[in-house]
Amino acid sequence: MNVQFKKGALELCVLGQLLNQDLYGYSLVERITRFIDISEGTVYPILRRLEKDGMVESYLKESTEGPARRYYRLNARGKEHFQSMLADWNELSQGVEDILKGVENEKK
Amino acid sequence: MNVQFKKGALELCVLGQLLNQDLYGYSLVERITRFIDISEGTVYPILRRLEKDGMVESYLKESTEGPARRYYRLNARGKEHFQSMLADWNELSQGVEDILKGVENEKK
DNA sequence: CGTACTACTATACAATATACTATACTGGTT
DNA sequence: AACCAGTATAGTATATTGTATAGTAGTACG
């Protein structure tokens, strides 16, 4: 998979997952990896950045299956950010589609 | 528009435009800008990179409306590259869609 | 002489990949 | 009981790479 395509998209996916429930980093990796190849070393920096930028808040919770989990909760600002990113994403993917549209037609 | 989303996507758009006709840098900017905001300082590096990587060949052609235009022609390798990128793009955008799907449903 | 057309470059910025380190618990073997 | 492998979990440093910004410069035309 072209690496560059993922730029920004992974953050959008993380935000989308947090929209309806608090999740911890490792579970985000598991969830997203079902659809897009992503590694831990990518998710944690995203979460740190989101926290630094005031989009999410985090809290620790004990686990019976390993070390304590750090859950992330999307706050109001994060939700706005998600909506804004989603709009951009839709705009871009629509733009790409429009630009490539007709290529097949003209081809023959 | 989120800058990061465009990573890679602009190259895909350039390749798509060159699939059926040779074009020069400035015209690529004009064509793509109709759908996605892109500047000259972004297009020329992409073209240089594509040429360096053996995806396109270029040639000069005089113009009556300004300096000579450098046209770019997509070669066989470039066409393969486009198909490969397009597949990746479709895979990613499908992945993002799948991940975000259901978010609205769960919401209420 | 100003404006549009066209090519091109240098620098900075930002997100991801890679390749780690480190800790906690579980289950099996000795 | 002690050890060890494996899984779960959090985290970091460095390199790579593509785009944005802000230019320079040259040609044609009014």
Side-chain angles (χ1 to χ4, degrees):
Chain A
M1 161 70 73
N2 185 308
V3 172
Q4 302 301 324
F5 283 148
K6 296 183 190 169
K7 297 290 172 76
L10 297 181
E11 181 179 327
L12 178 65
C13 292
V14 167
L15 290 169
Q17 291 299 301
L18 291 175
L19 205 57
N20 300 312
Q21 63 217 297
D22 297 359
L23 293 170
Y24 54 98
Y26 195 78
S27 69
L28 280 164
V29 176
E30 285 183 315
R31 284 163 155 262
I32 295 175
T33 295
R34 286 183 219 145
F35 302 97
I36 297 172
D37 187 42
I38 192 176
S39 70
E40 297 167 28
T42 304
V43 169
Y44 290 111
I46 290 174
L47 290 169
R48 284 197 74 208
R49 196 167 65 237
L50 288 173
E51 188 161 29
K52 180 171 71 77
D53 295 343
M55 309 291 180
V56 302
E57 283 125 34
S58 73
Y59 54 93
L60 284 173
K61 206 169 168 182
E62 285 173 33
S63 163
T64 57
E65 303 165 58
R69 299 163 170 168
R70 180 172 297 278
Y71 281 81
Y72 292 86
R73 180 181 50 243
L74 202 58
N75 61 23
R77 181 158 176 199
K79 286 175 188 173
E80 275 175 38
H81 181 55
F82 170 72
Q83 293 300 336
S84 163
M85 278 196 93
L86 182 59
D88 282 354
W89 171 260
N90 286 331
E91 187 183 328
L92 179 76
S93 54
Q94 186 62 53
V96 171
E97 197 180 311
D98 287 344
I99 289 172
L100 298 182
K101 188 176 56 191
V103 160
E104 289 305 315
N105 303 353
E106 294 171 27
K107 205 169 186 176
K108 59 161 171 8
Chain B
M1 163 68 74
N2 185 309
V3 173
Q4 301 300 325
F5 282 149
K6 297 183 189 168
K7 298 290 171 78
L10 298 181
E11 180 179 329
L12 179 64
C13 292
V14 167
L15 291 169
Q17 292 298 301
L18 291 176
L19 205 57
N20 301 311
Q21 63 217 297
D22 297 359
L23 292 169
Y24 53 97
Y26 195 78
S27 70
L28 280 164
V29 176
E30 287 183 315
R31 284 165 155 260
I32 295 175
T33 295
R34 286 183 219 145
F35 302 96
I36 298 173
D37 187 43
I38 191 175
S39 68
E40 298 166 29
T42 305
V43 169
Y44 290 111
I46 290 175
L47 291 169
R48 284 196 74 208
R49 194 167 66 234
L50 288 173
E51 188 162 29
K52 180 170 71 72
D53 295 344
M55 308 291 181
V56 301
E57 284 124 33
S58 73
Y59 55 93
L60 284 173
K61 207 169 169 181
E62 286 173 29
S63 163
T64 57
E65 303 166 58
R69 297 164 171 169
R70 179 173 296 280
Y71 282 81
Y72 292 86
R73 182 183 49 243
L74 202 59
N75 61 23
R77 181 157 176 198
K79 286 175 188 172
E80 275 175 40
H81 181 55
F82 170 73
Q83 293 301 336
S84 163
M85 278 196 91
L86 182 58
D88 282 354
W89 170 260
N90 286 330
E91 187 183 327
L92 178 76
S93 54
Q94 186 62 53
V96 171
E97 198 180 308
D98 288 344
I99 289 170
L100 297 181
K101 190 176 55 192
V103 160
E104 289 305 314
N105 302 354
E106 292 172 28
K107 205 169 184 175
K108 58 163 172 355

Coordinates of all heavy atoms in Angstrom, one line a residue, chain A residues 30-75:
Chain A
E30 N -6.0 -2.7 16.7 CA -6.7 -4.0 16.3 C -7.9 -3.7 15.4 O -8.1 -4.3 14.4 CB -7.2 -4.7 17.5 CG -6.1 -5.4 18.3 CD -6.6 -6.2 19.4 OE1 -7.5 -5.7 20.2 OE2 -6.2 -7.4 19.6
R31 N -8.7 -2.7 15.8 CA -9.9 -2.3 15.0 C -9.5 -1.8 13.6 O -10.1 -2.3 12.6 CB -10.7 -1.3 15.8 CG -11.4 -1.8 16.9 CD -11.9 -0.7 17.8 NE -13.0 -1.0 18.6 CZ -14.3 -0.7 18.3 NH1 -14.5 0.0 17.2 NH2 -15.3 -1.1 19.0
I32 N -8.6 -0.9 13.6 CA -8.3 -0.3 12.3 C -7.6 -1.3 11.4 O -7.8 -1.3 10.2 CB -7.4 1.0 12.5 CG1 -8.3 2.0 13.3 CG2 -7.0 1.6 11.2 CD1 -7.6 3.3 13.7
T33 N -6.7 -2.1 12.0 CA -6.0 -3.1 11.2 C -6.9 -4.0 10.4 O -6.4 -4.6 9.4 CB -5.0 -3.9 12.0 OG1 -4.0 -2.9 12.6 CG2 -4.2 -4.9 11.3
R34 N -8.1 -4.2 10.8 CA -9.0 -5.1 10.1 C -9.2 -4.6 8.7 O -9.5 -5.3 7.7 CB -10.3 -5.1 10.8 CG -10.3 -6.0 12.0 CD -11.7 -6.0 12.6 NE -11.7 -6.0 14.1 CZ -12.6 -5.4 14.8 NH1 -13.7 -4.8 14.2 NH2 -12.5 -5.3 16.1
F35 N -9.1 -3.2 8.5 CA -9.3 -2.6 7.2 C -8.1 -2.0 6.6 O -8.0 -2.0 5.4 CB -10.4 -1.6 7.4 CG -11.7 -2.1 7.9 CD1 -12.0 -2.0 9.3 CD2 -12.6 -2.7 7.1 CE1 -13.2 -2.5 9.8 CE2 -13.8 -3.2 7.6 CZ -14.1 -3.1 9.0
I36 N -7.3 -1.4 7.4 CA -6.1 -0.7 6.9 C -4.9 -1.1 7.7 O -4.9 -1.2 8.9 CB -6.3 0.8 7.0 CG1 -7.4 1.3 6.1 CG2 -5.0 1.5 6.6 CD1 -7.8 2.7 6.4
D37 N -3.8 -1.5 7.0 CA -2.6 -1.8 7.7 C -2.0 -0.7 8.5 O -1.7 0.4 7.9 CB -1.6 -2.3 6.7 CG -0.3 -2.9 7.4 OD1 -0.5 -3.7 8.3 OD2 0.8 -2.6 6.9
I38 N -1.9 -0.8 9.8 CA -1.4 0.2 10.6 C -0.6 -0.4 11.7 O -0.9 -1.5 12.2 CB -2.6 1.1 11.2 CG1 -2.1 2.4 11.8 CG2 -3.4 0.3 12.2 CD1 -3.3 3.3 12.3
S39 N 0.4 0.3 12.2 CA 1.2 -0.3 13.3 C 1.1 0.5 14.5 O 0.7 1.7 14.5 CB 2.7 -0.4 12.8 OG 3.2 0.9 12.7
E40 N 1.5 0.0 15.6 CA 1.4 0.7 16.9 C 2.2 2.0 16.9 O 1.8 3.0 17.5 CB 1.9 -0.2 18.0 CG 1.1 -1.5 18.2 CD 1.8 -2.5 19.1 OE1 2.6 -2.1 19.9 OE2 1.6 -3.7 18.9
G41 N 3.4 1.9 16.3 CA 4.2 3.1 16.3 C 3.6 4.2 15.5 O 4.1 5.3 15.5
T42 N 2.5 4.0 14.9 CA 1.8 5.0 14.2 C 0.6 5.6 15.0 O 0.4 6.7 15.0 CB 1.2 4.5 12.8 OG1 2.3 3.9 12.1 CG2 0.6 5.6 12.0
V43 N 0.0 4.6 15.7 CA -1.2 5.0 16.4 C -0.9 5.9 17.6 O -1.5 6.9 17.9 CB -2.0 3.8 16.9 CG1 -3.1 4.2 17.9 CG2 -2.7 3.1 15.7
Y44 N 0.1 5.5 18.4 CA 0.4 6.2 19.6 C 0.8 7.7 19.3 O 0.4 8.6 20.1 CB 1.5 5.5 20.4 CG 0.9 4.2 21.0 CD1 1.4 3.0 20.6 CD2 0.0 4.3 22.0 CE1 0.8 1.8 21.2 CE2 -0.6 3.1 22.6 CZ -0.1 1.9 22.1 OH -0.6 0.7 22.7
P45 N 1.7 7.9 18.4 CA 1.9 9.3 18.1 C 0.7 10.1 17.7 O 0.5 11.3 18.1 CB 2.9 9.3 16.9 CG 3.6 8.0 17.0 CD 2.6 7.0 17.6
I46 N -0.2 9.5 17.0 CA -1.5 10.2 16.6 C -2.2 10.5 17.9 O -2.7 11.7 18.1 CB -2.4 9.3 15.7 CG1 -1.8 9.2 14.4 CG2 -3.8 9.9 15.6 CD1 -2.5 8.2 13.4
L47 N -2.3 9.6 18.8 CA -3.1 9.8 20.1 C -2.4 10.9 20.9 O -3.1 11.8 21.5 CB -3.2 8.5 20.9 CG -4.1 7.5 20.2 CD1 -3.9 6.1 20.9 CD2 -5.5 7.9 20.3
R48 N -1.1 10.9 21.0 CA -0.4 11.9 21.7 C -0.7 13.3 21.1 O -0.9 14.3 21.8 CB 1.1 11.7 21.7 CG 1.6 10.6 22.6 CD 3.1 10.7 22.8 NE 3.5 11.8 23.6 CZ 4.6 12.4 23.6 NH1 5.5 12.1 22.7 NH2 4.9 13.4 24.5
R49 N -0.6 13.4 19.8 CA -0.9 14.6 19.1 C -2.3 15.1 19.4 O -2.5 16.3 19.7 CB -0.6 14.4 17.6 CG -0.5 15.6 16.8 CD 0.0 15.3 15.4 NE -0.9 14.6 14.6 CZ -0.6 13.4 14.0 NH1 0.6 12.8 14.2 NH2 -1.5 12.8 13.3
L50 N -3.2 14.2 19.3 CA -4.6 14.6 19.5 C -4.8 15.1 20.9 O -5.5 16.1 21.2 CB -5.5 13.4 19.3 CG -5.7 13.0 17.8 CD1 -6.5 11.7 17.8 CD2 -6.4 14.1 17.0
E51 N -4.1 14.5 21.9 CA -4.2 15.0 23.3 C -3.6 16.3 23.4 O -4.1 17.2 24.0 CB -3.6 14.0 24.2 CG -3.9 14.3 25.7 CD -3.7 13.1 26.6 OE1 -2.8 12.2 26.2 OE2 -4.3 13.0 27.6
K52 N -2.4 16.5 22.8 CA -1.7 17.7 22.9 C -2.5 18.9 22.3 O -2.5 20.0 22.8 CB -0.3 17.6 22.2 CG 0.5 18.9 22.2 CD 1.9 18.6 21.6 CE 1.9 18.4 20.1 NZ 1.8 19.6 19.3
D53 N -3.2 18.5 21.3 CA -4.0 19.6 20.6 C -5.4 19.7 21.2 O -6.3 20.4 20.7 CB -4.2 19.2 19.1 CG -2.8 19.3 18.4 OD1 -1.9 19.9 19.0 OD2 -2.7 18.8 17.3
G54 N -5.6 19.1 22.3 CA -6.9 19.2 23.0 C -8.1 18.7 22.4 O -9.2 19.2 22.5
M55 N -7.9 17.6 21.6 CA -9.0 16.9 21.0 C -9.6 15.7 21.8 O -10.7 15.4 21.7 CB -8.6 16.3 19.6 CG -7.9 17.3 18.7 SD -9.0 18.6 18.1 CE -7.9 19.6 17.1
V56 N -8.7 15.2 22.6 CA -9.1 14.0 23.4 C -8.5 14.2 24.8 O -7.6 15.0 25.0 CB -8.5 12.7 22.8 CG1 -9.0 12.5 21.4 CG2 -7.0 12.6 22.9
E57 N -9.1 13.5 25.7 CA -8.6 13.4 27.1 C -8.4 11.9 27.4 O -9.1 11.0 26.8 CB -9.5 14.0 28.1 CG -9.5 15.5 28.1 CD -10.8 16.1 27.9 OE1 -11.8 15.6 28.4 OE2 -10.9 17.2 27.2
S58 N -7.4 11.6 28.2 CA -7.1 10.2 28.4 C -7.2 9.9 29.9 O -7.0 10.7 30.8 CB -5.7 9.8 27.9 OG -4.7 10.4 28.7
Y59 N -7.4 8.6 30.2 CA -7.4 8.1 31.6 C -7.0 6.7 31.7 O -7.2 5.9 30.7 CB -8.8 8.3 32.2 CG -9.9 7.7 31.5 CD1 -10.3 6.4 31.8 CD2 -10.5 8.4 30.4 CE1 -11.4 5.8 31.1 CE2 -11.6 7.8 29.7 CZ -12.0 6.5 30.1 OH -13.0 5.9 29.3
L60 N -6.4 6.3 32.7 CA -5.9 4.9 32.9 C -7.0 4.0 33.5 O -7.8 4.5 34.3 CB -4.7 4.8 33.8 CG -3.4 5.3 33.1 CD1 -2.2 5.3 34.1 CD2 -3.0 4.3 31.9
K61 N -7.0 2.8 33.1 CA -8.0 1.8 33.7 C -7.3 0.5 33.8 O -6.7 0.1 32.8 CB -9.2 1.8 32.7 CG -10.5 1.4 33.4 CD -11.6 1.6 32.4 CE -12.9 1.0 32.9 NZ -14.0 1.2 31.9
E62 N -7.5 -0.2 34.9 CA -6.8 -1.4 35.0 C -7.4 -2.5 34.1 O -8.5 -2.4 33.7 CB -6.9 -1.9 36.5 CG -6.0 -1.2 37.4 CD -6.3 -1.6 38.9 OE1 -6.7 -2.8 39.1 OE2 -6.2 -0.8 39.8
S63 N -6.5 -3.5 33.8 CA -6.9 -4.6 32.9 C -6.5 -5.9 33.6 O -5.5 -5.9 34.3 CB -6.2 -4.4 31.6 OG -6.3 -5.7 30.9
T64 N -7.3 -6.9 33.4 CA -6.9 -8.2 34.0 C -6.1 -9.0 33.0 O -5.6 -10.0 33.3 CB -8.2 -9.0 34.3 OG1 -8.9 -9.2 33.0 CG2 -9.1 -8.4 35.3
E65 N -5.8 -8.4 31.9 CA -5.1 -9.2 30.8 C -3.7 -8.5 30.5 O -3.2 -8.9 29.5 CB -5.9 -9.3 29.6 CG -7.2 -10.0 29.8 CD -8.2 -9.8 28.7 OE1 -7.8 -10.2 27.5 OE2 -9.3 -9.2 28.8
G66 N -3.3 -7.6 31.3 CA -2.0 -7.0 30.9 C -1.9 -5.7 31.7 O -2.6 -5.4 32.7
P67 N -1.0 -4.8 31.2 CA -0.8 -3.6 31.9 C -2.0 -2.7 31.8 O -2.9 -2.9 31.0 CB 0.4 -2.9 31.2 CG 0.6 -3.8 30.0 CD -0.1 -5.0 30.1
A68 N -2.1 -1.6 32.6 CA -3.2 -0.7 32.6 C -3.4 -0.1 31.2 O -2.4 0.2 30.5 CB -3.0 0.4 33.6
R69 N -4.6 0.0 30.8 CA -4.9 0.6 29.5 C -5.2 2.1 29.6 O -5.8 2.6 30.6 CB -6.2 -0.1 28.9 CG -6.1 -1.5 28.8 CD -7.4 -2.2 28.6 NE -7.3 -3.6 28.2 CZ -8.3 -4.4 28.2 NH1 -9.5 -4.1 28.6 NH2 -8.1 -5.7 27.8
R70 N -4.7 2.8 28.7 CA -4.9 4.2 28.6 C -6.1 4.5 27.6 O -5.9 4.4 26.4 CB -3.7 5.1 28.3 CG -4.0 6.6 28.2 CD -2.7 7.4 28.0 NE -1.8 7.2 29.2 CZ -1.9 7.9 30.3 NH1 -2.9 8.8 30.5 NH2 -1.1 7.6 31.3
Y71 N -7.2 4.9 28.2 CA -8.4 5.1 27.3 C -8.4 6.6 26.8 O -7.9 7.5 27.6 CB -9.7 4.8 28.0 CG -10.0 3.4 28.1 CD1 -9.4 2.6 29.1 CD2 -10.9 2.8 27.2 CE1 -9.7 1.2 29.1 CE2 -11.2 1.5 27.3 CZ -10.6 0.7 28.3 OH -10.9 -0.7 28.3
Y72 N -8.9 6.8 25.7 CA -9.0 8.2 25.1 C -10.4 8.5 24.9 O -11.2 7.7 24.3 CB -8.2 8.3 23.8 CG -6.7 8.2 24.0 CD1 -6.1 6.9 24.1 CD2 -5.9 9.3 24.2 CE1 -4.7 6.8 24.3 CE2 -4.6 9.2 24.5 CZ -4.0 8.0 24.5 OH -2.6 7.9 24.8
R73 N -10.8 9.7 25.3 CA -12.2 10.1 25.2 C -12.2 11.4 24.3 O -11.5 12.4 24.5 CB -12.8 10.5 26.5 CG -14.3 10.9 26.4 CD -14.9 11.3 27.7 NE -14.0 12.2 28.4 CZ -13.4 11.9 29.6 NH1 -13.7 10.8 30.2 NH2 -12.6 12.8 30.2
L74 N -13.0 11.4 23.2 CA -13.1 12.5 22.3 C -14.0 13.6 23.0 O -15.0 13.3 23.5 CB -13.8 12.0 21.1 CG -13.6 12.8 19.8 CD1 -12.2 12.9 19.4 CD2 -14.4 12.1 18.7
N75 N -13.4 14.8 23.0 CA -14.2 15.9 23.6 C -14.9 16.7 22.5 O -14.8 16.3 21.3 CB -13.3 16.8 24.5 CG -12.2 17.4 23.7 OD1 -12.3 17.5 22.5 ND2 -11.2 17.7 24.4

